[in-house]
Amino acid sequence: PNIVLFVADDLHRFDLGCYGAVNCKTPNIDRLASEGIRMNQCYTAFTQCTPCRGELYTGLFPRRNGIIGNGIPAKPDVKGLPLHLRPLGYRTGLVGKNRVLGDPAIKVPSITPYRDADPFDPQTQAFLEKKQAAEVQSVRNNGFDFAASIYAGNVPGHMPAAMEAHNMDWITKGGLDFLDLAAKQDKPFYLHFCTTLHHGPGPAGHNYSVDPRFTAGGVLKKTPNVQPTRESIIARLKAAGIEPVGDHADALWLDDGIGALVTKLEQMGELDNTLIFYFNDHGMDAKGALYE
């Protein structure tokens, strides 16, 4: 079977309709829940981003894979899922937030000199394109055949301050590009699809309103047209009697991206031959603490 792992970031389960949310619309994620299995007692072994993602990537507890805190790499002898799946014939891809993988041989440029830069300055664009290319290559050196729309970590601190915003559409396009390539090959595929939502920056519920051309790889020449428009988010929420505040709009924006990929799998005729897992890296309440 094909394998797709959806990994959300700091998403509270009560932002999902399948867990009783009445102020959020998440029809695509709810569909996965209704047609599949809900793991109501599935727990993370850590309450920070990187160790949680390291668990999903390696299949090992933090103490075994060495990722015991944010910014701490895996042990040199630890193999991630793509290195196990490629020998079995799988085409592998990672899209979106990384936070786990790196290659000491790849020097990723520091954002520090460009923190206050003008996003539309050609020098800024050239820098971000170079930075993105290095991050893509670093991911590929960890066993992925394909990498795109990579965020090295949380949005703050990895882009010029004027560009700091989520871009779900850009991440979704990376996932669809991978599936387009996979459709041309007679191989099973494994896609590790990591959103940056709902993690900061804010303002929560208004991330969709930032310039849709802003990405970690620079300013796009054209806005991706891969999922329902951002302008429709507010209208759809209000039509459902939901006030678009807090994380309500972000939940629908994220759900639109998940829906675009599920629809693509249907169009490819691969949905029934694909194992889809939908995870959150860890809970949003009491983050960093040991409370359930």
Side-chain angles (χ1 to χ4, degrees), residues 203-265:
H206 296 280
N207 289 298
Y208 66 89
S209 64
V210 179
D211 192 321
R213 297 171 297 168
F214 286 172
T215 77
V219 180
L220 301 178
K221 294 180 180 178
K222 184 179 179 181
T223 303
N225 182 24
V226 293
Q227 60 186 71
T229 65
R230 299 184 184 200
E231 291 76 16
S232 73
I233 292 174
I234 297 300
R236 284 181 286 152
L237 288 176
K238 288 186 174 180
I242 298 171
E243 192 63 30
V245 296
D247 290 329
H248 304 167
D250 287 344
L252 180 54
W253 191 22
L254 183 151
D255 187 80
D256 285 342
I258 303 298
L261 269 73
V262 172
T263 298
K264 180 67 175 180
L265 291 170

Side-chain angles (χ1 to χ4, degrees), residues 181-219:
L181 292 172
K184 299 175 183 177
Q185 299 187 350
D186 188 21
K187 289 183 176 183
F189 54 82
Y190 157 60
L191 174 61
H192 203 93
F193 184 92
C194 302
T195 76
T196 57
L197 294 169
H198 287 1
H199 197 290
H206 296 280
N207 289 298
Y208 66 89
S209 64
V210 179
D211 192 321
R213 297 171 297 168
F214 286 172
T215 77
V219 180

Side-chain angles (χ1 to χ4, degrees), residues 46-131:
F46 218 96
T47 61
Q48 287 182 329
C49 304
T50 307
C52 297
R53 293 168 183 275
E55 289 179 278
L56 290 174
Y57 174 67
T58 66
L60 299 173
F61 286 114
R63 284 291 174 186
R64 293 192 65 194
N65 63 31
I67 307 173
I68 56 173
N70 290 338
I72 299 176
K75 296 176 181 178
D77 60 338
V78 170
K79 292 170 62 175
L81 279 172
L83 292 174
H84 290 287
L85 292 172
R86 284 175 76 177
L88 302 177
Y90 278 80
R91 177 173 175 80
T92 60
L94 185 145
V95 174
K97 183 176 177 177
N98 175 6
R99 196 66 191 262
V100 177
L101 308 176
D103 184 346
I106 302 292
K107 184 173 178 56
V108 178
S110 170
I111 189 66
T112 303
Y114 288 87
R115 284 293 292 152
D116 299 318
D118 177 1
F120 298 98
D121 187 304
Q123 285 189 319
T124 307
Q125 182 72 11
F127 166 80
L128 290 173
E129 290 176 357
K130 178 181 178 181
K131 185 173 184 290

